[in-house]
Amino acid sequence: MPVRKIGLCYRSVSGRVPMGAGRASVAVESTLERDFALLQRFDRDVAGIEEQPVRIEYRVGQGTKRRYVPDFLVTYRGAGRPPQLVEVKYSTDPHLLAGALEERFSAARRFAAERGWVFTLATEKEIRTPRLENATFLLPFRDRPADPAFRDRLLTVAAEASTSVQELADRVAGNATSRARVLPSLWTLIARFELVVDLDRPITMRTVLRHPEGGDA
């Protein structure tokens, strides 16, 4: 359960981001936090994300006792990636630029390390990237089934060799005129990672894709 409740905010954007697949939605209090949560929803390795997850107590020098609540705790499937305790901030935040947050961040790093986690500061430079644009475009297709008339053919052709989005759609459709009928199923397969593309570059009709178990990538 969150240790701090996010209420209505009249200075920024607050709300909840659905995480899909029966997972609980996540509360956010800025558009940047919303975008961060969308990236976690799109990441197939993310097992869960919790807002306002822990309260960290620390002291300023030898005196005042203070408390700090990071924005999110992200956990992952498998043992390859440790949980991340995350603070989301704009790189232009005046407190960040002035170094006024370093004591709380240092406390968070110690708190995380004691638990085998990693503390991370995420700004718009890490969040608002081509991957976010791709995730925003592809997520609506994730819950749409691929047309059975096209699905197997798309996967079979992609397994033969890496090809572009346009070339694959045209081969399965039979001609460029019918391409629009095939593309929604193709986007679904990419959104579900059944077809692989470089998600860190903008997806276009020229984007090269391949079958995860085939092709000459």
Side-chain angles (χ1 to χ4, degrees), residues 194-216:
E194 295 181 65
L195 290 175
V196 177
V197 302
D198 184 352
L199 292 168
D200 292 314
R201 295 185 177 183
I203 295 177
T204 71
M205 295 303 290
R206 295 182 179 180
T207 293
V208 174
L209 50 74
R210 63 180 175 83
H211 192 286
E213 299 179 358
D216 55 359

Side-chain angles (χ1 to χ4, degrees), residues 115-160:
R115 291 158 178 78
W117 304 350
V118 175
F119 174 75
T120 302
L121 172 65
T123 73
E124 75 281 1
K125 296 177 181 179
E126 294 80 32
I127 297 171
R128 291 182 173 159
T129 62
R131 180 173 285 262
L132 175 64
E133 295 177 11
N134 292 334
T136 302
F137 170 67
L138 291 170
L139 276 171
F141 291 96
R142 183 172 284 180
D143 297 326
R144 302 179 190 176
D147 189 326
F150 303 128
R151 182 182 184 280
D152 290 346
R153 179 64 176 155
L154 285 165
L155 293 173
T156 298
V157 173
E160 295 171 357

Side-chain angles (χ1 to χ4, degrees), residues 43-118:
D43 189 337
R44 60 180 168 178
D45 293 331
V46 168
I49 175 172
E50 181 182 354
E51 76 274 12
Q52 312 296 310
V54 294
R55 181 176 287 108
I56 300 169
E57 296 187 351
Y58 67 101
R59 291 186 181 277
V60 178
Q62 300 298 318
T64 307
K65 188 174 182 179
R66 294 185 178 175
R67 295 177 176 178
Y68 165 48
V69 179
D71 293 315
F72 300 106
L73 176 65
V74 183
T75 54
Y76 302 93
R77 296 182 177 88
R81 295 169 71 180
Q84 283 197 77
L85 193 60
V86 183
E87 177 70 23
V88 175
K89 279 275 187 292
Y90 284 98
S91 62
T92 54
D93 183 290
H95 299 291
L96 184 63
L97 292 174
L101 305 178
E102 189 51 41
E103 287 183 323
R104 67 172 62 174
F105 290 169
S106 294
R109 292 187 193 99
R110 291 192 299 270
F111 183 92
E114 290 169 357
R115 291 158 178 78
W117 304 350
V118 175

